[in-house]
Amino acid sequence: MTILPATFDAKLFRENSETVLAKLEKHLADQSLRGLELSDPARLIAAARALMTEEREKIADFDEEKLAAIVDLYLATGIQVHSPSYMGRQFSGVVPLAGVIDFVSSVVNQPSSFYEAGQLPNAVERIMADELNSFIGWPAGSFAMVTTSGGSLANLTALLAARNRAFPDYWSHGGAALAGGARPAIAVGADVHYSVSRAAGVMGIGEEQIVRLPLDRDYRIDPAQARSALDRAARTGLRVFCLVASAGTTSVGAFDPIGELADLAHERDCWLHVDGAHGASLLVSDELRGALRGIAEADSLTWDAHKMMFVPAPCTLLFYRNREHSLAAFRQQASYVFDEEPDIYAALDSGGKNFECTKRPMIMTLWALWAIYGRALFAEKIEYLCGLTRDAYEILEATPDFETVHRPEANILCFRHRPAGLSEEAVHRFQVAVRSRVKHQGKFFISKVDVDGVAALRVVMMNHETTTAHFRLLLTEIRKAGRELLHAGAASR
Amino acid sequence: MTILPATFDAKLFRENSETVLAKLEKHLADQSLRGLELSDPARLIAAARALMTEEREKIADFDEEKLAAIVDLYLATGIQVHSPSYMGRQFSGVVPLAGVIDFVSSVVNQPSSFYEAGQLPNAVERIMADELNSFIGWPAGSFAMVTTSGGSLANLTALLAARNRAFPDYWSHGGAALAGGARPAIAVGADVHYSVSRAAGVMGIGEEQIVRLPLDRDYRIDPAQARSALDRAARTGLRVFCLVASAGTTSVGAFDPIGELADLAHERDCWLHVDGAHGASLLVSDELRGALRGIAEADSLTWDAHKMMFVPAPCTLLFYRNREHSLAAFRQQASYVFDEEPDIYAALDSGGKNFECTKRPMIMTLWALWAIYGRALFAEKIEYLCGLTRDAYEILEATPDFETVHRPEANILCFRHRPAGLSEEAVHRFQVAVRSRVKHQGKFFISKVDVDGVAALRVVMMNHETTTAHFRLLLTEIRKAGRELLHAGAASR
C-alpha cells in the first residue's frame, strides 16, 4: 500500500476540518443581502472539472488548495439560506449547532434502521417521539414515530400502511387480484403536494384514482364539498381508502380543517393522513398550535424537521396514531400478529417500518437542539416568522400597486405586483418575468407559484434576521424590476 | 426576541465545532481493538434524557458540557467502524475528508433535486456519472445517473421504471386495470436483498409474483435453471417484466453472471436490473472489474457509494443504460415524449427521476474524494480488502476446526467454527451462540448469516488497517468463546 493510510490520518482530518471551519464561520457571519448567483451548468461543470486531479495511476497527494477551492465554489454557488434576503423556499438556514452534530454523524457513520448499528439515534427517537407527541396528545405507548428520508417518502409510507389496512391481500396478491370490485382510490385536496398523487402511481393504485376535493376561498379543503365529492366517487365505483389533508400547503401554506375531515374519514371508514411536512412544526408553539386542531384524530402525520425545525435535510418524522399500523406499510396487515416476541434491542429497530435499510441517524440533530436549547428555540423562531409574515401581509394590504391573494396562516405569503399600466391579461406573465428578474439581480431570493391559475410571487419567511425593513426593500426591488419590464415592453410580449 | 440570534452566532458555531472536532480527532486516532458496547435501551434512553435541559419556557443558555457529554455518548455507543477489529457489516469507516465535506453540506443545506437549489451538487453529478461510466462503457450522452437515499430506494426506483416500460398504463390506471391478462412478475436470485421482494409489495405487483431463480454451488443465479424457471412462470400465467441480478449478494458477496443473464433477459423482452449496492464499486479496480462482466448490457444498476466507496451514508447512485428510461419511474412511459424543451438549468433537475423532493447533496462527498485523491484511493483500498479476504479464506482452509462455506469473490467471507466434540445437529445454534458471545465480549464486531439454512459466521472486510494478524486474533477469540460454550454445555442445549 502507498499513501492510503495517510488519507485516514486523524491529524490531516483535523487540519482539513480547520480549513473548512474557518470558511463556514465566515459564511455564517456574512449578513449581507444576497440571493442566488445562477451559473450556466456547462461553465460550472468546467470549473469543477478544473479542480480535479489528473493523477490516474496512484493516489494523489492531498492538496490543501484544492480543498479550499472546492469549498469556496460550493459556498458561492448555493442558495444563501443564512442571508436575511433569503425568502424563497421551505428549506432553511440550519441552526449551526445542528450542522455540528450532523458532522459527527457523517464521521461515525452509524446507520439507524437497526438498534445495534446506531444505539443512541434509536434511543433518542423514542425520546423525541414522546416529546413531540405531548403537542399531539396520544396516550403514551399507543402511537409510533419513525424517521425517514424526506416528506415524499413519509407520505408514501403512510399511504402504503393505509392501503394494506384497507386491502389486506394487496401486499401479497397485488392490485390485479382486486379486479372486479371497487377500485382503490385516494382523496386529496386540490392543492396537495405532488408526492401524494405520485404515490398513487407508485403503489399501483393509478394516478387516475386520485379524487380531488374542492377548496374554499382560503384554499382549504371544504368539508361539505368533500362529502359530495366522495359520494360521487363511490357512485363511479371508487373505494376511497385514504383521505389526505395538508397542514400547510406548498403553494400558500393553507391548513385544511383536520377535525372536520377526521369526522368525515371516520364516517367513511377511511384513513386520514395529514401531510404536515411544512406546517406540523407549528404544534410546538402554544400560540400557533390551533392551526392543526383535531390532529389527534388523524391516523398518520408527516412532519419535516428540516423545514421549520431548522435542521439539515433530510429529517422527516412520520407519526401513526395506532402503533400497530406502523408495521403495516411493508407487509400484509395481518401478518404482524404472528411476529415472534422481539428482544429488547430489536424492539427499537425501525427497518421493518421505513424504506431505508441503511438510514442516516437524522434524529440526532433535532434531539441535540431540543436537549440543549429546549422547545423554546423552535417556538420562538416559528412565532417570529409567522408574525413577520402577517406584518408583510399588512404592508401589502396598504400598498396600492400590490395585491394579496390570501391571508397567511403560517410563514408563506403569495402576492402580485400590479403597477398602473399593467393590463389584466399581462398579469400572469408579468409576475413570472418579475420573479426571474429579481432572481437574476442576485440580491433577493423569492419563488413563484400559480394561484387560481395565475402566477403569484411567493415569499417563505425562514430567517429570523429578516425584518419588515427587508421586506420593504424587496418590494422596492420588485417595483424596480417591474418598471424596467414595463419600459422594455416585456409585459405586453 | 430573546437569545434566539445568539444560537446562530458564527463564533459560537466555531467554538462548538472545535469542541466536537477535538473529540472526533481522538476517535479517529484510536486504533485499539474494540467492537460494540451493547447497551440496554431503557438505560440508554435514561442516560440521554439526563442530558436534556429542563427549561420549558425560554431558550436555555448554551451549555458546553452538555454538548461534550452528548458527543461522548454518541461516539461510545456506536459501532466502532474505524477500529481494525470492525469486520461486521457493509457500512464503513468513512474517509475522514468525506466527513468534512459532508459537514459543509450540513451547514449550507442545499437540497439537490433541483439545479437552482444546489448548483454544484447537480453539476458534479454529471461529472461523476461520466467518470464512473468509463468503467461501465456506455456511449457518452446515452445513459443517465441519479443519486438517491439508499440502495433499497434505488432498487425500487429501477423496478418502477421497468414496470412502467412493460405496462405503460400501469401508472395512470393502476394494477386492477390489468386483470385478466398475464400477472406482472419479477424474477430474482434466491439470495436477493429483501428490498427487492418488498418492492413487489410496494408497487402493487404482489410479493407472491416474485419468481425465485435457483443458485449454483457458488450461490450465483444459474442461467440454465433460470431459463427453466422462467418457462414454468410463463406457463402459470406470469409475465416476468424484470430480472434482478446481484453484484455482491448480502450474505456471501456472490456475483451473478450478468452477461449470461442479460442474454436471457433480452431473449424474454425483460428488463435486467443489477443490484450492485455492495459490489459495483469493484468496477473502479482494473484487477477486480471482471466480477461485473457484462454490466454494459444491464438496463439499470444500483451502486452504494456509502459501502465500498467509503463515504457517509446515504450516497447511492442509480444508473440507467438508456437515458430516457430514467424518466419512466414516476410517470407513464409515453408522456415524456411530450415534454416541453427544458431550459439549460432544468435539464439538470433530478426531481422527476428520484423519490426525494428535498434531497441531500450526497454526491459532494464522493466527488470531493475523487477530485482530490483520484480513482486510485478507491481501487487500492478495495483491492487490499478483497486480497485480505482471500488470505483469510486461505487461513481458514488450513485450519481444521473451521470450515469455509464459499470461496470469496469480494470482501465478504462466511465460515463456521467446528471444534472437535461439536455434534452435527448443534452446528447451527453453536454459530449463533459464538457470534453473540464474541459480540458481547466487545473486542471484535462480526455478523451472522444463514447459508443453506445453517448459521455461519460472517466477516466483511471494510478497514484497510485490518490485517491477517487481526483475523487470526479473531479466530482465537472465536475458539475461546467456543470452548466456554462447549464447557457450559450450551452447544447441546
Side-chain angles (χ1 to χ4, degrees):
Chain A
M1 255 188 294
T2 57
I3 67 161
L4 174 56
T7 65
F8 282 74
D9 181 67
K11 277 215 177 60
L12 177 66
F13 164 75
R14 178 68 176 256
E15 288 163 21
N16 293 174
S17 299
E18 296 288 359
T19 301
V20 163
L21 192 44
K23 292 181 184 297
L24 288 175
E25 182 189 5
K26 199 168 149 223
H27 181 74
L28 288 173
D30 181 358
Q31 288 298 304
S32 66
L33 302 192
R34 57 206 198 282
L36 178 70
E37 273 189 46
L38 202 58
S39 320
D40 180 312
R43 288 181 57 185
L44 187 55
I45 289 172
R49 275 216 175 270
L51 294 173
M52 296 171 70
T53 178
E54 288 178 10
E55 177 62 64
R56 307 297 290 180
E57 298 312 314
K58 55 182 183 52
I59 304 177
D61 288 327
F62 177 74
D63 181 340
E64 177 78 27
E65 279 177 35
K66 262 200 176 82
L67 172 62
I70 284 174
V71 175
D72 285 342
L73 189 62
Y74 196 9
L75 295 177
T77 54
I79 288 191
Q80 304 294 308
V81 288
H82 286 94
S83 165
S85 61
Y86 165 72
M87 313 178 192
R89 298 239 179 250
Q90 293 164 285
F91 45 86
S92 66
V94 302
V95 184
L97 179 59
V100 177
I101 297 292
D102 216 27
F103 181 29
V104 181
S105 293
S106 299
V107 174
V108 302
N109 205 28
Q110 302 177 13
S112 66
S113 280
F114 300 93
Y115 180 76
E116 185 182 270
Q119 297 184 77
L120 189 60
N122 279 287
V124 305
E125 266 191 39
R126 292 300 173 100
I127 294 175
M128 286 313 298
D130 287 338
E131 291 285 316
L132 297 176
N133 177 57
S134 71
F135 312 113
I136 300 174
W138 290 316
S142 69
F143 69 98
M145 185 197 89
V146 63
T147 54
T148 194
S149 305
S152 296
L153 216 52
N155 286 338
L156 175 59
T157 307
L159 288 169
L160 282 168
R163 185 199 70 179
N164 295 347
R165 172 176 161 275
F167 304 97
D169 289 340
Y170 209 107
W171 186 263
S172 294
H173 297 337
L178 295 174
R183 300 195 309 285
I186 301 169
V188 306
D191 228 6
V192 78
H193 189 256
Y194 76 83
S195 63
V196 174
S197 53
R198 181 188 262 195
V202 168
M203 290 159 62
I205 301 299
E207 271 198 329
E208 284 178 8
Q209 277 64 247
I210 289 280
V211 177
R212 295 202 173 259
L213 306 176
L215 307 183
D216 65 16
R217 286 186 313 176
D218 296 319
Y219 304 99
R220 305 171 187 146
I221 294 175
D222 180 304
Q225 292 189 68
R227 186 165 272 112
S228 316
L230 291 181
D231 288 341
R232 275 196 305 280
R235 284 197 298 273
T236 61
L238 295 176
R239 156 86 175 92
V240 174
F241 65 90
C242 187
L243 197 162
V244 181
S246 298
T249 55
T250 303
S251 54
V252 301
F255 286 72
D256 292 326
I258 298 171
E260 291 172 76
L261 294 174
D263 291 344
L264 178 57
H266 191 250
E267 174 191 302
R268 308 283 167 128
D269 188 25
C270 177
W271 181 294
L272 178 65
H273 174 65
V274 176
D275 180 359
H278 185 76
S281 300
L282 270 59
L283 285 169
V284 306
S285 156
D286 296 337
E287 184 187 296
L288 299 166
R289 191 171 307 131
L292 289 103
R293 197 168 293 117
I295 189 63
E297 305 307 315
D299 291 288
S300 51
L301 168 68
T302 293
W303 182 340
D304 279 352
H306 59 261
K307 294 194 168 82
M308 277 208 280
M309 304 291 272
F310 317 109
V311 296
C315 179
T316 297
L317 319 173
L318 172 60
F319 283 88
Y320 293 93
R321 180 164 53 87
N322 180 336
R323 189 172 174 276
E324 295 202 334
H325 288 162
S326 68
L327 291 161
F330 300 110
R331 57 178 107 180
Q332 259 181 294
Q333 199 216 1
S335 67
Y336 56 80
V337 178
F338 307 112
D339 260 21
E340 358 179 22
E341 188 59 31
D343 67 24
I344 57 164
Y345 309 115
L348 275 80
D349 290 349
S350 68
K353 302 173 194 169
N354 52 234
F355 268 98
E356 301 92 335
C357 178
T358 299
K359 183 172 75 172
R360 197 171 172 89
M362 52 188 86
I363 195 71
M364 286 302 297
T365 56
L366 180 62
W367 173 69
L369 294 183
W370 197 270
I372 289 176
Y373 290 120
R375 171 183 79 113
L377 172 67
F378 307 96
E380 261 188 38
K381 178 153 173 164
I382 295 168
E383 285 160 14
Y384 174 81
L385 296 173
C386 292
L388 173 65
T389 310
R390 283 191 302 271
D391 292 346
Y393 173 80
E394 298 300 337
I395 290 170
L396 291 171
E397 284 282 280
T399 310
D401 55 341
F402 283 87
E403 79 174 5
T404 57
V405 304
H406 70 117
R407 182 183 291 274
E409 295 182 71
N411 60 333
I412 298 179
L413 180 63
C414 298
F415 58 97
R416 298 191 183 100
H417 180 33
R418 302 190 70 150
L422 181 70
S423 71
E424 193 63 36
E425 316 82 68
V427 168
H428 174 85
R429 248 178 294 160
F430 186 70
Q431 312 306 315
V432 176
V434 163
R435 190 259 167 173
S436 177
R437 203 170 186 97
V438 168
K439 184 169 81 176
H440 282 97
Q441 280 166 352
K443 203 159 156 193
F444 287 87
F445 186 77
I446 63 172
S447 48
K448 186 226 84 174
V449 70
D450 284 0
V451 180
D452 296 327
V454 180
L457 305 172
R458 174 174 171 266
V459 293
V460 185
M461 298 299 190
M462 292 301 278
N463 189 341
H464 59 273
E465 298 289 348
T466 307
T467 64
T468 51
H470 294 113
F471 185 70
R472 288 182 197 279
L473 274 177
L474 169 66
L475 297 188
T476 304
E477 184 92 354
I478 289 170
R479 278 196 192 98
K480 185 167 150 276
R483 268 197 312 274
E484 290 162 2
L485 285 164
L486 283 176
H487 288 162
S492 53
R493 249 186 306 178
Chain B
M1 257 186 294
T2 57
I3 66 160
L4 174 56
T7 65
F8 282 73
D9 181 67
K11 276 215 180 59
L12 177 66
F13 164 75
R14 177 69 176 255
E15 289 163 20
N16 293 173
S17 299
E18 296 287 1
T19 301
V20 163
L21 192 43
K23 291 181 185 297
L24 288 175
E25 183 189 4
K26 201 170 147 220
H27 181 75
L28 288 173
D30 181 358
Q31 288 297 305
S32 65
L33 302 191
R34 55 206 199 282
L36 178 69
E37 272 188 48
L38 202 59
S39 320
D40 179 313
R43 287 180 58 182
L44 186 55
I45 288 172
R49 275 218 176 268
L51 294 173
M52 296 172 70
T53 179
E54 287 177 11
E55 177 62 64
R56 307 297 290 181
E57 298 313 315
K58 56 183 182 53
I59 303 177
D61 289 326
F62 176 73
D63 181 339
E64 177 77 27
E65 281 177 33
K66 263 201 176 79
L67 173 61
I70 285 173
V71 175
D72 286 341
L73 189 62
Y74 196 9
L75 296 177
T77 54
I79 288 190
Q80 304 296 307
V81 288
H82 285 94
S83 165
S85 60
Y86 166 72
M87 312 178 191
R89 298 240 178 249
Q90 292 164 285
F91 45 86
S92 67
V94 302
V95 184
L97 179 59
V100 177
I101 296 293
D102 215 28
F103 181 29
V104 182
S105 293
S106 298
V107 173
V108 302
N109 204 28
Q110 302 177 13
S112 65
S113 280
F114 300 94
Y115 180 75
E116 184 182 272
Q119 296 183 78
L120 189 59
N122 280 288
V124 304
E125 266 191 39
R126 292 299 173 100
I127 294 176
M128 286 313 298
D130 287 337
E131 291 285 316
L132 297 177
N133 177 57
S134 71
F135 312 114
I136 299 174
W138 291 316
S142 68
F143 69 97
M145 185 197 88
V146 62
T147 54
T148 194
S149 305
S152 296
L153 216 52
N155 286 339
L156 175 60
T157 306
L159 287 169
L160 282 168
R163 184 199 69 180
N164 295 348
R165 172 176 162 275
F167 304 97
D169 289 340
Y170 209 107
W171 185 262
S172 295
H173 298 336
L178 295 174
R183 300 195 309 285
I186 300 168
V188 305
D191 228 6
V192 78
H193 188 256
Y194 75 83
S195 64
V196 175
S197 53
R198 181 187 263 194
V202 168
M203 290 159 65
I205 300 299
E207 271 198 329
E208 284 177 8
Q209 276 65 247
I210 289 280
V211 177
R212 294 201 174 260
L213 306 176
L215 307 182
D216 65 16
R217 285 186 313 177
D218 296 319
Y219 305 100
R220 304 170 186 148
I221 294 175
D222 181 304
Q225 292 190 68
R227 186 165 272 111
S228 315
L230 291 180
D231 288 341
R232 275 196 305 279
R235 285 197 299 272
T236 62
L238 295 177
R239 156 86 174 92
V240 174
F241 65 90
C242 186
L243 196 162
V244 181
S246 299
T249 56
T250 303
S251 54
V252 302
F255 287 71
D256 291 327
I258 298 172
E260 290 171 76
L261 294 174
D263 291 344
L264 179 57
H266 191 251
E267 175 190 302
R268 308 285 167 126
D269 188 24
C270 175
W271 181 293
L272 177 64
H273 174 65
V274 176
D275 180 0
H278 185 76
S281 299
L282 270 60
L283 284 168
V284 306
S285 156
D286 296 337
E287 183 188 295
L288 298 166
R289 191 171 306 131
L292 288 103
R293 196 167 292 118
I295 189 64
E297 305 308 315
D299 291 288
S300 51
L301 168 68
T302 293
W303 182 339
D304 279 351
H306 59 262
K307 293 193 169 81
M308 278 208 281
M309 304 290 272
F310 318 108
V311 298
C315 180
T316 297
L317 320 173
L318 172 59
F319 283 87
Y320 293 93
R321 180 163 54 88
N322 180 336
R323 189 171 171 275
E324 296 203 335
H325 287 161
S326 69
L327 292 162
F330 299 110
R331 59 178 106 180
Q332 257 179 297
Q333 199 218 0
S335 68
Y336 56 80
V337 177
F338 308 112
D339 261 19
E340 356 179 22
E341 188 61 30
D343 67 24
I344 57 163
Y345 309 115
L348 275 80
D349 291 348
S350 68
K353 301 173 195 169
N354 52 232
F355 268 97
E356 301 92 335
C357 179
T358 300
K359 183 172 73 170
R360 196 170 173 91
M362 52 188 87
I363 196 72
M364 287 302 297
T365 56
L366 181 62
W367 174 69
L369 293 184
W370 198 270
I372 290 177
Y373 290 120
R375 170 184 78 112
L377 172 66
F378 307 95
E380 261 189 39
K381 178 155 172 163
I382 294 168
E383 285 161 14
Y384 174 80
L385 296 173
C386 292
L388 173 65
T389 309
R390 284 191 301 272
D391 291 345
Y393 172 80
E394 298 300 336
I395 289 171
L396 290 172
E397 284 280 281
T399 310
D401 55 340
F402 284 87
E403 79 174 7
T404 57
V405 304
H406 70 117
R407 183 183 292 273
E409 295 183 69
N411 60 334
I412 299 180
L413 179 63
C414 298
F415 58 98
R416 298 193 185 100
H417 180 33
R418 303 190 69 150
L422 182 69
S423 70
E424 194 62 37
E425 315 83 70
V427 168
H428 174 85
R429 247 178 292 160
F430 186 70
Q431 311 307 314
V432 176
V434 163
R435 190 261 167 172
S436 177
R437 202 170 186 96
V438 167
K439 184 170 83 179
H440 281 96
Q441 279 166 354
K443 203 160 156 193
F444 287 87
F445 186 76
I446 62 171
S447 49
K448 188 226 80 172
V449 71
D450 284 359
V451 180
D452 296 327
V454 179
L457 304 172
R458 174 174 172 266
V459 293
V460 186
M461 298 299 190
M462 292 300 278
N463 190 341
H464 59 274
E465 297 289 347
T466 307
T467 63
T468 50
H470 294 114
F471 185 68
R472 287 182 197 278
L473 274 177
L474 168 66
L475 298 187
T476 304
E477 185 92 353
I478 290 171
R479 277 196 192 98
K480 186 166 150 274
R483 269 198 311 274
E484 290 162 0
L485 285 164
L486 283 176
H487 287 161
S492 52
R493 250 187 305 177

